[in-house]
mmCIF file of all heavy atoms in Angstrom:
data_model
loop_
_atom_site.group_PDB
_atom_site.id
_atom_site.type_symbol
_atom_site.label_atom_id
_atom_site.label_comp_id
_atom_site.label_asym_id
_atom_site.label_seq_id
_atom_site.Cartn_x
_atom_site.Cartn_y
_atom_site.Cartn_z
ATOM 1 N N TYR A 41 -87.864 -83.030 55.241
ATOM 2 C CA TYR A 41 -88.611 -84.283 55.262
ATOM 3 C C TYR A 41 -89.381 -84.456 56.606
ATOM 4 O O TYR A 41 -88.672 -84.251 57.669
ATOM 5 C CB TYR A 41 -87.736 -85.458 54.985
ATOM 6 C CG TYR A 41 -87.023 -85.355 53.637
ATOM 7 C CD1 TYR A 41 -85.729 -84.820 53.604
ATOM 8 C CD2 TYR A 41 -87.614 -85.856 52.491
ATOM 9 C CE1 TYR A 41 -85.087 -84.667 52.411
ATOM 10 C CE2 TYR A 41 -86.978 -85.723 51.308
ATOM 11 C CZ TYR A 41 -85.709 -85.145 51.214
ATOM 12 O OH TYR A 41 -85.101 -84.986 49.972
ATOM 13 N N LEU A 42 -90.602 -84.863 56.607
ATOM 14 C CA LEU A 42 -91.298 -85.142 57.791
ATOM 15 C C LEU A 42 -91.139 -86.713 58.026
ATOM 16 O O LEU A 42 -91.610 -87.449 57.211
ATOM 17 C CB LEU A 42 -92.713 -84.885 57.693
ATOM 18 C CG LEU A 42 -93.665 -85.246 58.931
ATOM 19 C CD1 LEU A 42 -93.209 -84.483 60.136
ATOM 20 C CD2 LEU A 42 -95.113 -84.908 58.596
ATOM 21 N N LEU A 43 -90.495 -87.045 59.101
ATOM 22 C CA LEU A 43 -90.121 -88.496 59.354
ATOM 23 C C LEU A 43 -90.997 -89.011 60.482
ATOM 24 O O LEU A 43 -91.079 -88.377 61.589
ATOM 25 C CB LEU A 43 -88.682 -88.627 59.637
ATOM 26 C CG LEU A 43 -87.607 -88.074 58.660
ATOM 27 C CD1 LEU A 43 -86.199 -88.226 59.108
ATOM 28 C CD2 LEU A 43 -87.859 -88.715 57.244
ATOM 29 N N ASP A 44 -91.439 -90.279 60.403
ATOM 30 C CA ASP A 44 -92.052 -90.976 61.486
ATOM 31 C C ASP A 44 -91.048 -91.974 61.846
ATOM 32 O O ASP A 44 -90.819 -92.994 61.254
ATOM 33 C CB ASP A 44 -93.340 -91.693 61.000
ATOM 34 C CG ASP A 44 -93.993 -92.530 62.057
ATOM 35 O OD1 ASP A 44 -93.394 -92.624 63.160
ATOM 36 O OD2 ASP A 44 -94.971 -93.177 61.785
ATOM 37 N N LYS A 45 -90.322 -91.694 62.947
ATOM 38 C CA LYS A 45 -89.165 -92.509 63.367
ATOM 39 C C LYS A 45 -89.672 -93.888 63.844
ATOM 40 O O LYS A 45 -88.998 -94.950 63.498
ATOM 41 C CB LYS A 45 -88.403 -91.932 64.574
ATOM 42 C CG LYS A 45 -87.751 -90.686 64.204
ATOM 43 C CD LYS A 45 -86.922 -90.105 65.323
ATOM 44 C CE LYS A 45 -87.884 -89.556 66.326
ATOM 45 N NZ LYS A 45 -87.181 -88.886 67.491
ATOM 46 N N GLU A 46 -90.858 -93.944 64.452
ATOM 47 C CA GLU A 46 -91.383 -95.267 64.964
ATOM 48 C C GLU A 46 -91.768 -96.236 63.737
ATOM 49 O O GLU A 46 -91.420 -97.387 63.769
ATOM 50 C CB GLU A 46 -92.569 -95.093 65.762
ATOM 51 C CG GLU A 46 -93.082 -96.226 66.561
ATOM 52 C CD GLU A 46 -94.182 -95.814 67.547
ATOM 53 O OE1 GLU A 46 -93.909 -95.116 68.457
ATOM 54 O OE2 GLU A 46 -95.327 -96.274 67.267
ATOM 55 N N GLY A 47 -92.479 -95.574 62.809
ATOM 56 C CA GLY A 47 -92.929 -96.369 61.580
ATOM 57 C C GLY A 47 -91.893 -96.452 60.515
ATOM 58 O O GLY A 47 -92.142 -97.098 59.541
ATOM 59 N N ARG A 48 -90.829 -95.777 60.662
ATOM 60 C CA ARG A 48 -89.694 -95.689 59.636
ATOM 61 C C ARG A 48 -90.228 -95.297 58.328
ATOM 62 O O ARG A 48 -89.989 -95.942 57.340
ATOM 63 C CB ARG A 48 -88.834 -97.032 59.623
ATOM 64 C CG ARG A 48 -88.448 -97.404 61.058
ATOM 65 C CD ARG A 48 -87.377 -98.440 61.019
ATOM 66 N NE ARG A 48 -86.116 -98.147 60.449
ATOM 67 C CZ ARG A 48 -85.199 -97.335 60.900
ATOM 68 N NH1 ARG A 48 -85.363 -96.762 62.042
ATOM 69 N NH2 ARG A 48 -84.101 -97.143 60.286
ATOM 70 N N GLN A 49 -91.026 -94.208 58.270
ATOM 71 C CA GLN A 49 -91.657 -93.680 57.090
ATOM 72 C C GLN A 49 -91.393 -92.193 56.885
ATOM 73 O O GLN A 49 -91.195 -91.448 57.853
ATOM 74 C CB GLN A 49 -93.112 -93.919 57.029
ATOM 75 C CG GLN A 49 -93.598 -95.328 57.041
ATOM 76 C CD GLN A 49 -95.070 -95.462 57.032
ATOM 77 O OE1 GLN A 49 -95.801 -94.693 57.643
ATOM 78 N NE2 GLN A 49 -95.620 -96.464 56.248
ATOM 79 N N VAL A 50 -91.285 -91.833 55.666
ATOM 80 C CA VAL A 50 -91.192 -90.364 55.275
ATOM 81 C C VAL A 50 -92.612 -89.981 54.840
ATOM 82 O O VAL A 50 -93.163 -90.496 53.877
ATOM 83 C CB VAL A 50 -90.229 -90.157 54.063
ATOM 84 C CG1 VAL A 50 -90.043 -88.714 53.846
ATOM 85 C CG2 VAL A 50 -88.882 -90.820 54.336
ATOM 86 N N LEU A 51 -93.178 -89.121 55.657
ATOM 87 C CA LEU A 51 -94.643 -88.726 55.509
ATOM 88 C C LEU A 51 -94.830 -87.485 54.680
ATOM 89 O O LEU A 51 -95.959 -87.151 54.247
ATOM 90 C CB LEU A 51 -95.244 -88.519 56.884
ATOM 91 C CG LEU A 51 -95.199 -89.709 57.853
ATOM 92 C CD1 LEU A 51 -95.769 -89.329 59.172
ATOM 93 C CD2 LEU A 51 -95.896 -90.905 57.277
ATOM 94 N N GLY A 52 -93.737 -86.697 54.493
ATOM 95 C CA GLY A 52 -93.862 -85.445 53.774
ATOM 96 C C GLY A 52 -92.526 -84.893 53.340
ATOM 97 O O GLY A 52 -91.437 -85.260 53.892
ATOM 98 N N HIS A 53 -92.519 -83.922 52.431
ATOM 99 C CA HIS A 53 -91.318 -83.313 51.912
ATOM 100 C C HIS A 53 -91.716 -82.023 51.303
ATOM 101 O O HIS A 53 -92.802 -81.763 50.860
ATOM 102 C CB HIS A 53 -90.782 -84.214 50.752
ATOM 103 C CG HIS A 53 -89.705 -83.627 50.025
ATOM 104 N ND1 HIS A 53 -89.829 -83.298 48.667
ATOM 105 C CD2 HIS A 53 -88.465 -83.122 50.295
ATOM 106 C CE1 HIS A 53 -88.699 -82.730 48.181
ATOM 107 N NE2 HIS A 53 -87.834 -82.682 49.135
ATOM 108 N N ILE A 54 -90.730 -81.045 51.477
ATOM 109 C CA ILE A 54 -90.861 -79.755 50.739
ATOM 110 C C ILE A 54 -89.430 -79.416 50.293
ATOM 111 O O ILE A 54 -88.540 -79.630 51.010
ATOM 112 C CB ILE A 54 -91.507 -78.628 51.597
ATOM 113 C CG1 ILE A 54 -91.786 -77.401 50.671
ATOM 114 C CG2 ILE A 54 -90.790 -78.356 52.784
ATOM 115 C CD1 ILE A 54 -92.700 -76.402 51.269
ATOM 116 N N ALA A 55 -89.372 -78.881 49.081
ATOM 117 C CA ALA A 55 -88.050 -78.422 48.543
ATOM 118 C C ALA A 55 -88.154 -76.956 48.300
ATOM 119 O O ALA A 55 -89.110 -76.439 47.801
ATOM 120 C CB ALA A 55 -87.773 -79.198 47.270
ATOM 121 N N PHE A 56 -87.076 -76.309 48.555
ATOM 122 C CA PHE A 56 -86.962 -74.850 48.350
ATOM 123 C C PHE A 56 -85.690 -74.577 47.515
ATOM 124 O O PHE A 56 -84.669 -75.338 47.651
ATOM 125 C CB PHE A 56 -86.865 -74.087 49.593
ATOM 126 C CG PHE A 56 -88.108 -73.993 50.462
ATOM 127 C CD1 PHE A 56 -88.143 -74.843 51.519
ATOM 128 C CD2 PHE A 56 -89.099 -73.176 50.158
ATOM 129 C CE1 PHE A 56 -89.301 -74.845 52.335
ATOM 130 C CE2 PHE A 56 -90.219 -73.126 50.911
ATOM 131 C CZ PHE A 56 -90.256 -73.974 52.033
ATOM 132 N N THR A 57 -85.756 -73.559 46.651
ATOM 133 C CA THR A 57 -84.536 -73.020 46.039
ATOM 134 C C THR A 57 -84.244 -71.745 46.711
ATOM 135 O O THR A 57 -85.108 -70.879 46.943
ATOM 136 C CB THR A 57 -84.773 -72.813 44.542
ATOM 137 O OG1 THR A 57 -85.208 -74.014 43.891
ATOM 138 C CG2 THR A 57 -83.539 -72.296 43.836
ATOM 139 N N ARG A 58 -82.882 -71.560 47.085
ATOM 140 C CA ARG A 58 -82.489 -70.341 47.868
ATOM 141 C C ARG A 58 -81.827 -69.377 46.990
ATOM 142 O O ARG A 58 -80.996 -69.723 46.151
ATOM 143 C CB ARG A 58 -81.541 -70.839 48.949
ATOM 144 C CG ARG A 58 -81.146 -69.650 49.830
ATOM 145 C CD ARG A 58 -80.212 -70.072 50.872
ATOM 146 N NE ARG A 58 -79.775 -69.062 51.722
ATOM 147 C CZ ARG A 58 -79.229 -69.037 52.869
ATOM 148 N NH1 ARG A 58 -79.059 -70.258 53.435
ATOM 149 N NH2 ARG A 58 -78.905 -67.971 53.560
ATOM 150 N N GLU A 59 -82.337 -68.115 47.111
ATOM 151 C CA GLU A 59 -81.691 -67.099 46.473
ATOM 152 C C GLU A 59 -81.518 -65.870 47.477
ATOM 153 O O GLU A 59 -82.595 -65.302 47.860
ATOM 154 C CB GLU A 59 -82.561 -66.588 45.279
ATOM 155 C CG GLU A 59 -81.749 -65.588 44.371
ATOM 156 C CD GLU A 59 -82.647 -65.266 43.045
ATOM 157 O OE1 GLU A 59 -83.825 -65.313 43.120
ATOM 158 O OE2 GLU A 59 -81.898 -65.071 42.072
ATOM 159 N N GLU A 60 -80.372 -65.610 47.868
ATOM 160 C CA GLU A 60 -80.040 -64.730 48.998
ATOM 161 C C GLU A 60 -80.856 -65.043 50.223
ATOM 162 O O GLU A 60 -80.687 -66.099 50.652
ATOM 163 C CB GLU A 60 -80.246 -63.220 48.394
ATOM 164 C CG GLU A 60 -79.291 -62.907 47.282
ATOM 165 C CD GLU A 60 -79.506 -61.483 46.759
ATOM 166 O OE1 GLU A 60 -80.062 -60.661 47.436
ATOM 167 O OE2 GLU A 60 -78.975 -61.196 45.665
ATOM 168 N N ASN A 61 -81.685 -64.099 50.694
ATOM 169 C CA ASN A 61 -82.430 -64.405 51.923
ATOM 170 C C ASN A 61 -83.865 -64.800 51.676
ATOM 171 O O ASN A 61 -84.673 -64.743 52.518
ATOM 172 C CB ASN A 61 -82.292 -63.260 52.955
ATOM 173 C CG ASN A 61 -83.036 -62.010 52.393
ATOM 174 O OD1 ASN A 61 -83.294 -61.853 51.224
ATOM 175 N ND2 ASN A 61 -83.331 -61.103 53.291
ATOM 176 N N GLU A 62 -84.170 -65.311 50.422
ATOM 177 C CA GLU A 62 -85.463 -65.729 50.055
ATOM 178 C C GLU A 62 -85.366 -67.199 49.600
ATOM 179 O O GLU A 62 -84.399 -67.598 49.026
ATOM 180 C CB GLU A 62 -86.001 -64.862 48.969
ATOM 181 C CG GLU A 62 -87.339 -65.273 48.454
ATOM 182 C CD GLU A 62 -87.873 -64.304 47.347
ATOM 183 O OE1 GLU A 62 -87.065 -63.566 46.710
ATOM 184 O OE2 GLU A 62 -89.078 -64.381 47.166
ATOM 185 N N VAL A 63 -86.459 -67.878 49.992
ATOM 186 C CA VAL A 63 -86.563 -69.281 49.422
ATOM 187 C C VAL A 63 -87.873 -69.432 48.707
ATOM 188 O O VAL A 63 -88.895 -68.805 49.077
ATOM 189 C CB VAL A 63 -86.474 -70.390 50.586
ATOM 190 C CG1 VAL A 63 -85.044 -70.420 51.122
ATOM 191 C CG2 VAL A 63 -87.526 -70.049 51.646
ATOM 192 N N VAL A 64 -87.874 -70.142 47.587
ATOM 193 C CA VAL A 64 -89.012 -70.340 46.784
ATOM 194 C C VAL A 64 -89.272 -71.784 46.551
ATOM 195 O O VAL A 64 -88.352 -72.590 46.291
ATOM 196 C CB VAL A 64 -88.859 -69.649 45.373
ATOM 197 C CG1 VAL A 64 -90.117 -69.774 44.534
ATOM 198 C CG2 VAL A 64 -88.480 -68.220 45.636
ATOM 199 N N SER A 65 -90.570 -72.255 46.596
ATOM 200 C CA SER A 65 -90.922 -73.631 46.338
ATOM 201 C C SER A 65 -91.997 -73.679 45.267
ATOM 202 O O SER A 65 -93.070 -73.246 45.539
ATOM 203 C CB SER A 65 -91.377 -74.329 47.587
ATOM 204 O OG SER A 65 -91.788 -75.668 47.273
#
Side-chain angles (χ1 to χ4, degrees):
Y41 300 92
L42 177 62
L43 307 177
D44 176 1
K45 294 182 292 186
E46 191 176 292
R48 304 193 69 70
Q49 292 181 324
V50 186
L51 304 175
H53 170 244
I54 188 165
F56 292 101
T57 301
R58 180 179 181 165
E59 188 173 36
E60 296 181 15
N61 65 343
E62 179 177 16
V63 290
V64 182
S65 178

